[in-house]
């Protein structure tokens, strides 16, 4: 079998068109342009590329974006001061602190300081708690992108066994929460595997939908995939100057029924969901939109 390639770029573009329409309607209604500020500390080249891509996606879709660039020597206190100033700035609706941060800065301290109503990454404990209770203000960008890919591709998720390989706070954990909940593109039976999981190959092989988010190049090999399974590759690894995912694409695409490529799969969806969250943050700030969490 040769798998259908799930074209994340095309699906992301389609969703962005709708978001651009919603942004235009918001601007018309309120006279306000949703504004995202990305904070980049240091010179990590991959982070610089991600932040640039986020910036250009904002500009193309009617949102304002500002990059706040700080040197690698910035202290934790200095970065906290920047975050607090952005929290207090009424012209700023979304705040994104690009990870990873330099080693001398505690990411948890910084992320905890972001105003939860401006937390477009959905990393703040309040937003993680609301997500786990099924009444979120924001959905985390990469897991939301994965869920939207499944919905747009018509993959049945309700009742399916989803195996997520990887338990990160950014992808594995929140994705598991989202897919096990009630709602469209959800109601799945979810298993989360990690580095200590016994029988990982057998568990992965029992998945109807297998999500690789472990951060190891080509970790998922054909014997870990049930024939006909849907495989979603969240990984982005640079190997000998080339981008590869967490899935050994050539072999696995012979077995799966559908698979995301790297690049051009989950990546463009993550940025799309960030645009959506920036609009949500602007709505929260300016229209006093009551969120589910507030009853
Ligand atoms: N670094 C890698 N992925 C992400 C992300 O989704 N958000 C932020 N802020 N940093 C990242």
């Amino acid at each position: 079998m040769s798998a259908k390639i799930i074209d994340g770029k095309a699906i992301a573009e389609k969703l962005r068109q709708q978001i651009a329409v919603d942004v235009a309607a918001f601007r018309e209604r309120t006279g306000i342009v949703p504004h995202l500020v990305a904070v980049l500390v240091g010179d990590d080249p991959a982070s610089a590329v991600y932040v640039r891509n986020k910036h250009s996606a904002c500009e193309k879709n009617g949102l304002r974006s500002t990059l706040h660039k700080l040197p690698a020597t910035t202290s934790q206190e200095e970065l906290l001061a920047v975050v607090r100033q952005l929290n207090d700035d009424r012209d700023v609706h979304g705040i994104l602190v690009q990870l990873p941060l330099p080693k001398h800065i505690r990411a948890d301290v910084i992320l905890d300081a972001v105003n939860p109503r401006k937390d477009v990454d959905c990393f703040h404990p309040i937003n993680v708690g609301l997500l786990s209770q099924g009444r979120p203000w924001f959905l985390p960008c990469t897991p939301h992108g994965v869920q939207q890919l499944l919905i747009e591709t018509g993959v049945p998720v309700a009742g399916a066994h989803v195996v997520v390989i990887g338990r990160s706070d950014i992808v594995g954990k929140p994705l598991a929460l989202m897919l096990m909940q009630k709602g469209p593109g959800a109601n799945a039976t979810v298993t989360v595997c990690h580095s200590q999981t016994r029988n990982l190959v057998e568990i992965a092989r029992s998945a109807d939908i297998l999500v690789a988010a472990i951060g190891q190049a080509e970790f998922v090999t054909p014997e870990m995939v049930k024939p006909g399974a849907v495989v979603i590759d969240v990984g982005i690894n640079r190997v000998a100057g080339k981008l590869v995912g967490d899935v050994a694409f050539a072999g696995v695409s012979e077995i799966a029924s559908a698979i995301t490529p790297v690049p051009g799969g989950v990546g463009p969806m993550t940025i799309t969901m960030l645009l959506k969250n920036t609009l949500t943050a602007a709505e929260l700030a300016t229209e006093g939109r009551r969120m589910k969490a507030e009853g």
Side-chain angles (χ1 to χ4, degrees), residues 20 65 93 128 143 149 151 205 210 212 230 273 286 288:
S65 153
H93 306 112
V128 176
L149 272 185
I151 292 172
R205 232 184 127 74
L210 182 61
V230 173
M273 296 308 136
T286 63

Side-chain angles (χ1 to χ4, degrees), residues 41-58:
V41 186
D43 326 292
D44 179 54
S47 291
V49 173
Y50 294 145
V51 167
R52 205 164 51 235
N53 290 343
K54 289 168 185 176
H55 177 75
S56 87
C58 281

Side-chain angles (χ1 to χ4, degrees), residues 131 139-140 143-144 147 173-181 185-187:
L131 177 73
L139 294 172
H144 194 197
Q147 188 178 45
K173 265 191 243 174
L175 179 62
L177 281 174
M178 288 170 64
L179 295 183
M180 76 168 77
Q181 275 167 356
N187 283 307

Side-chain angles (χ1 to χ4, degrees), residues 184-234:
N187 283 307
T189 303
V190 182
T191 304
V192 179
C193 296
H194 47 76
S195 54
Q196 304 279 312
T197 299
R198 283 192 210 121
N199 308 327
L200 191 141
V201 172
E202 288 99 287
I203 295 169
R205 232 184 127 74
S206 71
D208 304 307
I209 301 169
L210 182 61
V211 182
I214 197 163
Q216 285 188 42
E218 302 187 326
F219 179 86
V220 173
T221 50
E223 74 271 15
M224 294 162 75
V225 179
K226 176 165 77 177
V230 173
V231 178
I232 305 290
D233 190 348
V234 181

Side-chain angles (χ1 to χ4, degrees), residues 53-212:
N53 290 343
K54 289 168 185 176
H55 177 75
S56 87
C58 281
E59 304 268 296
K60 278 194 192 126
N61 292 282
L63 302 119
R64 182 175 160 209
S65 153
T66 304
L67 173 59
H68 204 111
K69 213 166 171 305
L70 296 165
T73 50
T74 303
S75 71
Q76 183 166 300
E77 275 310 310
E78 286 167 330
L79 181 55
L80 266 180
V82 168
V83 167
R84 288 184 184 131
Q85 177 231 319
L86 295 171
N87 283 344
D88 292 342
D89 187 338
R90 290 168 64 92
D91 286 338
V92 173
H93 306 112
I95 302 171
L96 178 149
V97 181
Q98 185 66 29
L99 302 177
L101 289 169
K103 293 220 173 347
H104 64 276
I105 297 178
R106 279 186 55 186
D108 57 348
V109 170
I110 301 300
L111 299 178
D112 285 2
V114 173
N115 179 342
R117 288 174 173 263
K118 298 189 177 188
D119 173 33
V120 288
D121 267 320
C122 196
F123 289 167
H124 192 282
I126 285 187
N127 284 322
V128 176
L130 291 172
L131 177 73
S132 82
Q133 293 182 343
R135 49 184 191 139
W137 289 344
F138 300 103
L139 294 172
C141 300
T142 301
H144 194 197
V146 169
Q147 188 178 45
Q148 288 299 312
L149 272 185
L150 294 171
I151 292 172
E152 292 289 328
T153 313
V155 175
V157 179
H161 184 207
V162 178
V163 174
V164 180
I165 306 180
R167 56 177 159 183
S168 70
D169 289 333
I170 297 185
V171 183
K173 265 191 243 174
L175 179 62
L177 281 174
M178 288 170 64
L179 295 183
M180 76 168 77
Q181 275 167 356
K182 293 178 181 166
N187 283 307
T189 303
V190 182
T191 304
V192 179
C193 296
H194 47 76
S195 54
Q196 304 279 312
T197 299
R198 283 192 210 121
N199 308 327
L200 191 141
V201 172
E202 288 99 287
I203 295 169
R205 232 184 127 74
S206 71
D208 304 307
I209 301 169
L210 182 61
V211 182

